[in-house]
Amino acid sequence: MRLTSFAAVFVICAVAIGAEEPSERHRLAENLLNAMDMGTQITASFEAMKAVMPAQFEQMQASVPADAKGPKSGIGADQQKKMMDKIMDICAEEMKWENVKPDYINLYSETFSAEELKELIAFYQSPVGKAYLAKQPELMQKSMQLSQKTMMRLMPKIIAMTTESAAEAAPPVPVYAPRKLVPESEPPTDIPRQPVAPASAKESGVSGVFRVAKPEMLMLLSHDGKHLRPLCDVPSHPTIGSPALSPAGDMIACDGNRPGTSYEGTELLLMKADGTEVECLGNGAMPSWSADGKRIAFSCNAPRGVWVLDLAT
């Protein structure tokens, strides 16, 4: 019976000692954090970050290449500063020492033993430890400046990598078919020049001619609107539309569809003003000439958008 009581007392004491150990380490951890003035250190680190942030954004903005349209993309420096100030204020409010102190006590008590915590407390209470703490803000600011210089050296590589990734993710740029002559295209000879006769209000004289002629042909109307004649027949592209005369008046651009194709398969056609030497320029529709006659703007459905084709290249 005495042995049993002694064993019970031993177990209770052991449990009590074990229960006191975490409390002792927590107490030592709190003393260490007080000696380190951790709350002030955290506040100083946020202030140091806020101090260098505007200059860092300005340098990063300077390293970004100009947009193809001219001005650089992104928000202005003032907006960036306001945004970062708000972010830093939110972080500072969340990281107030009274809010995070219990987490720091747990962290230090779980990381260091009681003996280590005692030695650390002795160090930070010594003249050298106090000098180290006093110079922490200066060290923090200079270390952030070093990090900033490193980031500036890395920015060109980061921008190049980002640009490359964006190019890989972007839809492919259309590769136009080589300009090729459509050999079977020639001015029709079986449909003569026809007058445009007056018609009823429901249809025009031109509509009457098109009812007789092959509708897939390009037609040429006289400047006075009295005569219409076939200009070009392109059997490879039975459906032709959107003709546009070049500024010099020597070329015509239009669009056409091969049999069985929809709008996605519409192609650009280029020919002389007399309807000869028809060339296929590749996919595109609704051409429009530049003032110098060297480029053609057109719409495209796949990939969707408005494109410019340089006829020389």
Side-chain angles (χ1 to χ4, degrees):
M1 189 70 179
R2 289 180 179 178
L3 290 174
T4 304
S5 300
F6 179 77
V9 170
F10 179 79
V11 170
I12 293 172
C13 290
V15 171
I17 293 172
E20 285 297 320
E21 177 64 13
S23 298
E24 174 67 12
R25 290 173 66 177
H26 275 68
R27 183 184 65 78
L28 291 171
E30 184 174 4
N31 291 341
L32 173 60
L33 293 172
N34 291 334
M36 295 172 63
D37 198 11
M38 184 60 74
T40 302
Q41 299 295 334
I42 292 177
T43 302
S45 65
F46 275 105
E47 292 301 323
M49 289 177 64
K50 289 178 66 175
V52 301
M53 203 65 73
Q56 187 170 356
F57 268 108
E58 185 177 348
Q59 292 185 18
M60 290 176 65
Q61 187 73 8
S63 64
V64 176
D67 190 87
K69 297 180 180 180
K72 296 181 180 181
S73 57
I75 62 177
D78 292 340
Q79 291 177 295
Q80 287 179 349
K81 185 179 183 305
K82 290 180 181 178
M83 180 182 68
M84 289 309 304
D85 286 344
K86 289 182 180 179
I87 293 175
M88 295 301 296
D89 289 341
I90 293 173
C91 293
E93 181 67 25
E94 187 67 23
M95 291 292 292
K96 278 186 176 179
W97 181 234
E98 55 266 26
N99 296 335
V100 299
K101 183 178 180 179
D103 295 329
Y104 271 79
I105 293 176
N106 290 331
L107 174 64
Y108 276 73
S109 65
E110 293 170 0
T111 305
F112 299 101
S113 67
E115 290 301 320
E116 290 170 336
L117 288 169
K118 291 177 181 178
E119 292 183 9
L120 286 171
I121 292 172
F123 168 76
Y124 283 108
Q125 289 179 343
S126 68
V128 175
K130 292 179 179 179
Y132 175 79
L133 290 174
K135 295 182 179 180
Q136 276 298 300
E138 182 181 354
L139 286 173
M140 175 69 69
Q141 185 175 7
K142 290 183 178 179
S143 65
M144 292 191 68
Q145 291 173 353
L146 289 176
S147 300
Q148 184 178 351
K149 290 180 180 178
T150 302
M151 284 302 299
M152 289 304 103
R153 290 197 300 268
L154 290 175
M155 278 305 297
K157 295 181 181 180
I158 295 174
I159 292 173
M161 182 176 62
T162 304
T163 304
E164 183 178 351
S165 300
E168 292 176 356
V173 177
V175 178
Y176 296 99
R179 294 175 61 172
K180 55 185 178 180
L181 193 66
V182 182
E184 71 275 17
S185 302
E186 57 183 16
T189 57
D190 56 338
I191 302 179
R193 175 188 177 102
Q194 300 183 40
V196 179
S200 63
K202 293 184 179 181
E203 66 174 18
S204 66
V206 176
S207 299
V209 173
F210 269 98
R211 190 168 56 245
V212 178
K214 296 171 64 178
E216 65 270 18
M217 298 166 58
L218 280 183
M219 310 296 288
L220 190 64
L221 183 66
S222 61
H223 72 281
D224 57 6
K226 294 181 179 180
H227 294 89
L228 187 73
R229 67 177 177 85
L231 177 67
C232 183
D233 184 17
V234 187
S236 62
H237 295 72
T239 304
I240 298 179
S242 306
L245 188 65
S246 67
D250 58 339
M251 302 293 291
I252 295 176
C254 64
D255 56 34
N257 283 81
R258 299 179 187 273
T261 60
S262 62
Y263 174 67
E264 288 81 0
T266 304
E267 295 180 307
L268 292 175
L269 301 175
L270 186 67
M271 66 189 74
K272 288 187 175 181
D274 60 2
T276 61
E277 299 185 16
V278 180
E279 294 179 283
C280 178
L281 303 180
N283 56 320
M286 295 181 287
S288 178
W289 291 87
S290 63
D292 57 9
K294 296 180 179 181
R295 294 169 295 168
I296 295 177
F298 61 95
S299 64
C300 190
N301 191 59
R304 189 180 301 275
V306 176
W307 302 80
V308 176
L309 180 64
D310 190 327
L311 295 176
T313 60

